[in-house]
Structure formats: structure tokens, C-alpha cells
Amino acid sequence: MDRYLDFILNHYILSLALAVVTYLLIQELFDTAFKKFNAVSPLLAVAKMNDSDTLVIDVREPSEFIHNHIEQSINMPLGKLPEELAKIAEHKTKPVLISCKTGTRSASAAKLLTKAGFEQVFVITGGMDAWENDYKLPIKITSKQKTKTNPSA
């Protein structure tokens, strides 16, 4: 036991780094074990959109949203999402799909929505990158003059 204590005192930076990494790993384990939202592939997201009254929220910034987005999705940037929750309160019991560019911001938005009482929250894995490039699903492009659909889809 004395050798462990000597090691910790002599290598305090390594010991601190080990403690921080261990804490972060445990926190991530608990977050994934107790999360109240699910991840769905873009194809399953399309099936959910076709089967029910599903709300699709794009949490990217408006400048990203106009370049490409899912048809009938609404833009609610992640930074403004807590203020916008009242606008979508009627969807608390209905399926809500969340998209972003790669799926990272979607997870944060899903945590916000589940804390706000939304029951069926789904994150689209891979975000719009997977939607458009991997699965080649249709997108909508909005410009200042007109709205058009993706000609390659």
C-alpha cells in the first residue's frame, strides 16, 4: 500500500489524469445506461415519419438548415431549444425525431427534450451527413428566393 501512495505522490499528474478519465468513463456509462431516448437509423426514421404524427426537429443553425434539411422538419437551433419548447409542447406524447449534421448535437437536444417531459424522443444516427450521403434520402434545399428538392434524390 505504501508503494501505491509513493507512486501517487511522485506522479501526481498521471494519478490525476487517471482519476479524471475514470470519472468521465463512469459518467458516460451511466448516461448511456439511463438515457431516455433512442437512436434510429435514417431508414427507421423514415418509417417512423410515415407511420405516425412524427415531429422532426433540426437543431442546426439556420445557416446550415437552408443548405439541406429533411422535408417538413422545423429548425430549432440547439442554443435556442429551451426557449422554443413551448411551441412544440403538444408533441410530448408523440414521436419526435432530432437531426443535426453528424448526430452530436442531437444527443444534447434529446437530453433536453426528455428532461422537459417528452416521451418518445429519437436521435437520427449520423445526422444529415448519413441521411444525404450514406442513405441517399431526399432533402429539401431552401434559398432566399425559392424552395426546391434535391435533384439527385
Side-chain angles (χ1 to χ4, degrees):
M1 187 66 177
D2 288 335
R3 294 182 71 193
Y4 289 122
L5 188 58
D6 286 340
F7 179 83
I8 291 170
L9 292 174
N10 290 331
H11 304 286
Y12 60 90
I13 293 176
L14 288 175
S15 301
L16 180 62
L18 175 65
V20 168
V21 168
T22 303
Y23 171 76
L24 291 174
L25 285 172
I26 291 171
Q27 181 184 19
E28 182 66 23
L29 178 68
F30 278 111
D31 280 351
T32 55
F34 296 113
K35 70 180 179 181
K36 296 178 181 174
F37 60 90
N38 294 313
V40 294
S41 72
L43 289 177
L44 289 174
V46 170
K48 285 205 169 295
M49 291 166 64
N50 290 336
D51 286 345
S52 61
D53 185 24
T54 302
L55 175 66
V56 182
I57 300 173
D58 193 318
V59 294
R60 296 176 297 162
E61 294 300 316
S63 59
E64 297 172 281
F65 182 77
I66 63 169
H67 293 298
N68 65 341
H69 58 274
I70 299 170
E71 182 84 30
Q72 298 177 351
S73 65
I74 59 172
N75 184 228
M76 292 185 161
L78 182 59
K80 297 179 182 175
L81 189 60
E83 304 150 14
E84 304 283 328
L85 288 178
K87 293 180 182 177
I88 58 171
E90 68 273 3
H91 286 86
K92 283 193 174 192
T93 59
K94 299 174 184 172
V96 178
L97 292 169
I98 305 173
S99 70
C100 66
K101 182 165 176 55
T102 60
T104 306
R105 287 179 271 186
S106 298
S108 298
K111 288 178 186 177
L112 276 169
L113 289 174
T114 54
K115 284 182 183 177
F118 286 80
E119 297 172 6
Q120 299 181 55
V121 179
F122 302 92
V123 171
I124 298 175
T125 56
M128 287 304 296
D129 285 348
W131 183 278
E132 184 178 8
N133 300 325
D134 299 342
Y135 290 87
K136 308 287 188 220
L137 294 169
I139 60 166
K140 190 167 190 172
I141 301 170
T142 307
S143 69
K144 292 183 180 177
Q145 290 95 11
K146 58 188 173 187
T147 300
K148 59 184 177 180
T149 56
N150 184 2
S152 66

